[in-house]
Amino acid sequence: MINLAIVASHPIQYYAPLFQRIIQESDLKIKVFYLWDFGITNQIDRGFQQSLKWDISLLDGYEFEFVSNTSKDKGTHHLFGLQNPTLTNQVLGFNPDAILLTVSYNYASIYKFLWELRNHNIPIIFRGDSHRILAKQDLKSKIKRLIIAKIFQNFAACLYVGKANYDYFRYHHVPEHQLFFTPHAIDNQRFSDANINLQEKVKLWKQELGIPLDSQVILFAGKFEEKKCPLDLIQAFIHAQLPSVSFLLVGSGVLESAIQDFAVQNQHIYLAPFQNQSLMPLTYAMGDIFVLPSYGASETWGLAINEAMCMGKPVIVSNHVGCAADLVKPFENGLIFEAGNVDALTDCLREAMSDRNRLKRWGEESKKIIANYSYDHVIAGLKQALKAVLK
């Protein structure tokens, strides 16, 4: 039996089902150490600009404990948002054979943790999802590369989630033999199972929103914020002039007022409020295609694409979205466009919506592709890493 301590920033809807799945493995005993209680208590989400608490269970089915966070401004949005003085003692109290970090190293608490563990001879495995799609070669970037490479020397292995993330680790001099593939995944089963018998609910919600029942729907769901570029998508939709196609935006955030203004001016643009986790399968079921037009380096993967594909949806993503190279096969299950290029996005919308039957085939292909991005594949990669570091 391997004792695996997992350090996580806070309960996350994508990780909790993975932890539940891991304990079914007879040779792994895990305990998760949370550094913050966001997600299970009502707190303001900075992106959605509202108080929220996830409405699915994130703490059942596995062993965990919270580590007291003494930060005056708790959160993952800054270096000192996670300050957990007792982290090392609590983790060592579990007597771990190995430690898995699923939280970024770039927090005060993690730097302290790595320093305090330097003489304990416990292998640390790091799982990240950063990429260098927008690579810079200036002096600051070169210095940053050296610093990150030095930090990565603390890890006995690194788990990469996709092609862009693999390149990121290699750029920072992580040896290939220390890299193990653990694909970014969601609870595929929850979304696949929910996809059955949703059509009647889709009709009812369309009627409530005023969307014509025979209209195809382009869907955006997420935070209404600059990096996700919902305003670019609105402009592209308006320019595309698509017959019998509606555009539904689901979510909230700082751009909500601007988005509402467009919806008032265009009868084919519809808004729905933020939907909690239990309603996300229905949200994806509303769309005939899902679009994530993000710009910049901070869309490290885009797990909404996993969710949409589990629901059998074709997808359009910008080339800044981390999962683009892994999950989107142009003209097989979707399209990729140049981030920030509204004309290119307009062309993608026109192309995708020009053939209803082809769009359905793309959706079927999405389901096939995403089947290989599952928790079972994550666990297989994790086990390979553990075998390597615990020789």
Side-chain angles (χ1 to χ4, degrees):
M1 179 72 72
I2 296 171
N3 274 15
L4 178 65
I6 301 176
V7 180
S9 58
H10 59 285
I12 297 174
Q13 66 270 31
Y14 304 117
Y15 270 111
L18 171 61
F19 301 153
Q20 294 163 0
R21 175 71 184 82
I22 288 175
I23 65 163
Q24 298 173 17
E25 301 295 313
S26 59
D27 55 346
L28 290 178
K29 179 183 179 181
I30 69 168
K31 187 170 187 177
V32 183
F33 295 85
Y34 285 120
L35 310 184
W36 182 33
D37 62 357
F38 181 84
I40 60 164
T41 58
N42 277 300
Q43 296 185 49
I44 296 294
D45 183 285
R46 296 171 66 87
F48 283 117
Q49 294 277 292
Q50 67 179 58
S51 178
L52 67 83
K53 173 185 175 183
W54 299 124
D55 64 353
I56 60 173
S57 174
L58 300 181
L59 297 176
D60 290 339
Y62 62 94
E63 191 176 352
F64 69 91
E65 63 183 63
F66 284 94
V67 185
S68 177
N69 185 356
T70 61
S71 174
K72 293 181 179 179
D73 181 17
K74 297 177 178 63
T76 54
H77 57 288
H78 68 116
L79 175 66
F80 297 102
L82 302 177
Q83 295 190 61
N84 311 85
T86 62
L87 173 60
T88 301
N89 286 337
Q90 287 183 240
V91 170
L92 291 177
F94 177 60
N95 193 28
D97 298 299
I99 298 168
L100 171 62
L101 289 184
T102 66
V103 57
S104 168
Y105 57 82
N106 196 28
Y107 294 106
S109 206
I110 301 302
Y111 286 126
K112 180 174 181 287
F113 182 61
L114 294 176
W115 176 257
E116 291 175 345
L117 283 176
R118 69 194 184 282
N119 295 321
H120 280 273
N121 199 31
I122 302 172
I124 302 173
I125 301 171
F126 175 66
R127 187 175 194 241
D129 61 3
S130 297
H131 59 63
R132 295 189 70 254
I133 291 174
L134 294 178
K136 295 180 180 179
Q137 298 297 337
D138 58 359
L139 179 59
K140 181 180 178 181
S141 297
K142 291 177 181 178
I143 295 172
K144 185 177 180 181
R145 178 186 188 183
L146 294 174
I147 294 171
I148 294 175
K150 190 69 175 176
I151 293 169
F152 283 173
Q153 291 177 10
N154 289 278
F155 306 133
C158 291
L159 310 181
Y160 67 95
V161 301
K163 294 174 182 176
N165 184 221
Y166 173 87
D167 291 341
Y168 176 85
F169 281 126
R170 292 294 288 134
Y171 174 77
H172 291 99
H173 306 301
V174 178
E176 191 163 358
H177 72 271
Q178 291 184 353
L179 288 171
F180 299 87
F181 181 45
T182 59
H184 245 327
I186 62 161
D187 190 352
N188 290 2
Q189 195 68 47
R190 181 168 80 89
F191 282 86
S192 297
D193 290 349
N195 202 20
I196 305 169
N197 303 322
L198 277 179
Q199 289 312 303
E200 193 59 38
K201 291 182 179 180
V202 167
K203 289 181 182 178
L204 290 172
W205 199 11
K206 275 189 170 182
Q207 289 173 338
E208 289 176 11
L209 294 171
I211 300 175
L213 292 181
D214 61 347
S215 176
Q216 289 184 289
V217 175
I218 296 169
L219 176 67
F220 172 92
K223 296 173 181 177
F224 295 164
E225 58 185 359
E226 292 287 348
K227 80 168 186 179
K228 293 190 180 290
C229 300
L231 298 181
D232 281 7
L233 184 50
I234 288 174
Q235 293 286 357
F237 174 75
I238 293 171
H239 293 163
Q241 294 290 299
L242 301 168
S244 301
V245 177
S246 300
F247 178 26
L248 173 61
L249 297 102
V250 181
S252 62
V254 294
L255 297 178
E256 187 166 353
S257 179
I259 291 172
Q260 288 174 339
D261 290 343
F262 277 106
V264 169
Q265 297 168 24
N266 190 301
Q267 61 178 341
H268 302 297
I269 298 176
Y270 301 84
L271 264 67
F274 162 83
Q275 303 294 303
N276 214 316
Q277 283 299 300
S278 65
L279 293 175
M280 286 310 297
L282 175 58
T283 300
Y284 290 113
M286 288 285 283
D288 292 280
I289 190 167
F290 183 81
V291 187
L292 185 58
S294 302
Y295 186 96
S298 57
E299 194 70 81
T300 52
W301 182 261
L303 283 162
I305 296 299
N306 293 59
E307 293 174 336
M309 289 173 62
C310 275
M311 299 290 293
K313 302 302 174 182
V315 292
I316 296 174
V317 301
S318 81
N319 61 353
H320 287 184
V321 176
C323 71
D326 300 85
L327 298 185
V328 187
K329 314 301 179 187
F331 291 94
E332 293 182 26
N333 77 311
L335 297 167
I336 302 172
F337 71 97
E338 180 188 4
N341 188 332
V342 174
D343 289 339
L345 178 52
T346 301
D347 291 341
C348 283
L349 295 181
R350 287 174 177 156
E351 178 65 43
M353 308 312 290
S354 65
D355 187 333
R356 287 196 180 209
N357 291 328
R358 183 183 64 177
L359 201 61
K360 290 180 180 178
R361 291 196 299 272
W362 286 4
E364 289 301 313
E365 188 63 25
S366 280
K367 286 194 287 188
K368 295 176 183 176
I369 293 170
I370 206 62
N372 292 316
Y373 289 75
S374 69
Y375 290 149
D376 285 343
H377 289 84
V378 176
I379 294 170
L382 173 60
K383 283 189 165 186
Q384 288 177 352
L386 287 168
K387 183 178 179 180
V389 304
L390 294 175
K391 288 179 180 178

